[in-house]
Amino acid sequence: MQTYSYDQLYKFTHDILLKLGCSELHAQIGAEVLLSADLRGVDSHGVARLSGYVRLWEKGRINANPSIKIVHETPSTAVVDGDGGLGLVVAPYAMNVAIEKASKAGTGWVSVKNSNHYGIAGYHAMMALDHDMIGISLTNASPLVSPTFSKERLLGTNPISVAIPANEEPPFIADMATTTAANGKLEILQRKGKDAPWGWIQDKEGNPTTSANGVKDGGALLPLGGDREHGSHKGYALGAIVDIFSAVLSGANYGPWVPPFVAFLEPDPNPVGEGIGHFFGAMRVDAFRPADEFKSNMDNWIKRFRSAKPTEGNEKVLIPGDPERELEAIRRAEGIPLLQPVVEDLKGLGERFGVKF
C-alpha cells in the first residue's frame, strides 16, 4: 500500500476529467464526489474507478459536456435527464433540485434517467444535511445480482443511503448496497488474491462459491441475506424497490437492461430506457416539527444507542456513519492508501493523458 494526500489525488482526478473535455465546474464536482469515497473508506468506489469512467468515455458512453435538464416537474417532484453525463456530476445536480423543491414545498423528490455510475450514494444524501433536511439517495446499477431462487442476473447492487441531521452528535448516515457486498469489494479481493466469504456469490449454476472471480466466471452476487433462510428475499425486495424508483419511474433502463459499468461489455442492443437511473429525496425537517427539537431528539437517540451494552468481545455499538466519519478524519490528516495495482493503473492513465501522478 502507498499513501497519497487528498489534494494530490483530487488534482490528478480533476486534471484527468478536464482532459476528457469536462468543464472546470464539472471536473471539480466529479473529483470531489469520487474522492469522497476514498476519504470515507469506500475504496471500491473512489479513485480506483477513474480508469473505468475513462474507458466508458472512450467508448462514447459518457458525454463529457452534458446538457443536464429537468424534463418534467411539479412543485415537489421532477425528472432529470442527465444527457449521458458523468453520474458524478448528474447526481449532485439532481439532488440540488430535490433540495430546492424541499425548501419551498417541504419535500422534494427527483428521479433521473440517462445517467451513469454516480459514485457513493452517501455523498448525495449528505448534501441535504447543511439545509436541516433529511437526504435520500438511490441508484440502480449493472445487472450482477440474482433474485432469490434464480441464477439469472437481473438486478444491480442498487444502494440506499439516508442522511439525517443531528445537533451536537454527528449525523446518522446509512449507506449500503442491497446485496451482501458491493461488487467493488470483489474487485478489491481480486487485487489482493483473496477468496470471498460464503454468502456473497453463487456460481453460474446457482451454487454457493467463495471465488472472488465468481461473478466474472458467469455467477452472480446475492441479495442482502445471502439465501432464503437468512432473508435474501428481503434484500431482493429492497433492490427491486431501488430499481423501480430509479428507473421505471424516470424512464431509465431497469433490471437486466441497465448498461454495464465495464466498457468491454456492450449495453443491451434493445434498451427499455435511457442510461442508468437514480432517485433522490430531500425532506425539510421543519416541515414535520421544529428542526431544533428534532435534532435534539436525534442527539438523544444517537447517545442512547451508542451507550447500548456491547456483546462480549465487542468494544462498542456503532451508529451508521461512525466508521466512515472516523476514517475520513484519519485520511484527511494522514493520506489515502492505495493498493499497488491501483497505483500502477493511475500512473498509466497519467502517462496516456500527460497528467503527472
Side-chain angles (χ1 to χ4, degrees), residues 11-354:
K11 184 178 187 310
F12 178 78
T13 302
H14 166 272
D15 291 352
I16 290 292
L17 294 178
L18 286 180
K19 291 287 186 179
L20 302 189
C22 291
S23 68
E24 173 62 27
L25 177 61
H26 284 185
Q28 290 174 5
I29 295 170
E32 180 179 329
V33 175
L34 196 64
L35 266 295
S36 70
D38 294 292
L39 283 175
R40 295 179 66 77
V42 191
D43 299 332
S44 57
H45 285 54
V47 73
R49 287 215 164 175
L50 181 57
S51 61
Y53 292 105
V54 171
R55 286 191 288 269
L56 288 175
W57 170 78
E58 290 173 329
K59 294 278 284 189
R61 288 173 52 192
I62 285 181
N63 178 5
N65 275 297
S67 176
I68 308 167
K69 59 187 177 184
I70 296 171
V71 293
H72 179 77
E73 65 179 323
T74 73
S76 63
T77 68
V79 175
V80 165
D81 185 330
D83 194 29
L86 275 169
L88 304 171
V89 173
V90 175
Y93 174 97
M95 188 62 190
N96 276 322
V97 172
I99 291 168
E100 177 63 22
K101 287 188 174 292
S103 71
K104 297 175 181 176
T107 65
W109 306 97
V110 178
S111 199
V112 179
K113 65 178 179 177
N114 205 5
S115 185
N116 282 282
H117 190 279
Y118 76 174
I120 59 169
Y123 178 93
H124 314 296
M126 289 167 63
M127 289 174 61
L129 296 175
D130 289 339
H131 304 272
D132 275 350
M133 296 182 188
I134 294 170
I136 299 171
S137 169
L138 321 174
T139 185
N140 67 3
S142 309
L144 300 173
V145 183
S146 290
T148 302
F149 302 144
S150 175
K151 59 183 180 181
E152 280 194 84
R153 304 197 312 201
L154 298 179
L155 287 171
T157 53
N158 293 10
I160 296 172
S161 181
V162 178
I164 304 174
N167 187 24
E168 295 176 356
E169 294 294 320
F172 174 109
I173 301 167
D175 187 355
M176 62 182 191
T178 53
T179 50
T180 48
N183 185 53
K185 292 189 175 180
L186 289 185
E187 294 170 353
I188 291 173
L189 290 175
Q190 291 160 12
R191 294 185 190 112
K192 292 181 176 179
K194 294 184 177 181
D195 285 338
W198 285 106
W200 280 23
I201 318 168
Q202 66 183 21
D203 64 21
K204 62 183 180 181
E205 299 302 326
N207 302 308
T209 179
T210 60
S211 170
N213 292 301
V215 176
K216 283 186 174 180
D217 294 336
L221 289 168
L222 293 170
L224 187 63
D227 56 36
R228 177 64 172 78
E229 287 69 28
H230 293 92
S232 69
H233 58 295
K234 299 177 183 179
Y236 164 34
L238 287 171
I241 289 168
V242 172
D243 197 36
I244 294 166
F245 278 32
S246 298
V248 180
L249 201 55
S250 68
N253 288 292
Y254 47 82
W257 292 278
V258 176
F261 178 75
V262 291
F264 61 82
L265 292 177
E266 293 295 329
D268 193 293
N270 300 299
V272 292
E274 297 178 78
I276 283 176
H278 319 308
F279 184 82
F280 304 100
M283 303 166 63
R284 209 174 72 214
V285 169
D286 68 4
F288 297 87
R289 62 183 300 199
D292 288 345
E293 288 183 11
F294 172 84
K295 291 194 292 183
S296 176
N297 280 174
M298 276 303 302
D299 281 351
N300 189 45
W301 190 98
I302 291 168
K303 288 174 182 176
R304 180 61 187 92
F305 276 76
R306 203 188 296 284
S307 67
K309 296 176 182 177
T311 54
E312 186 175 350
N314 292 296
E315 180 182 348
K316 60 182 178 180
V317 173
L318 297 172
I319 303 302
D322 279 353
E324 296 86 351
R325 175 177 49 81
E326 292 167 4
L327 193 55
E328 179 172 353
I330 293 170
R331 290 188 169 187
R332 282 194 181 276
E334 300 178 4
I336 296 168
L338 299 179
L339 293 168
Q340 190 58 35
V342 175
V343 172
E344 295 303 320
D345 184 46
L346 295 176
K347 285 181 177 178
L349 201 58
E351 290 171 2
R352 284 172 54 202
F353 286 92

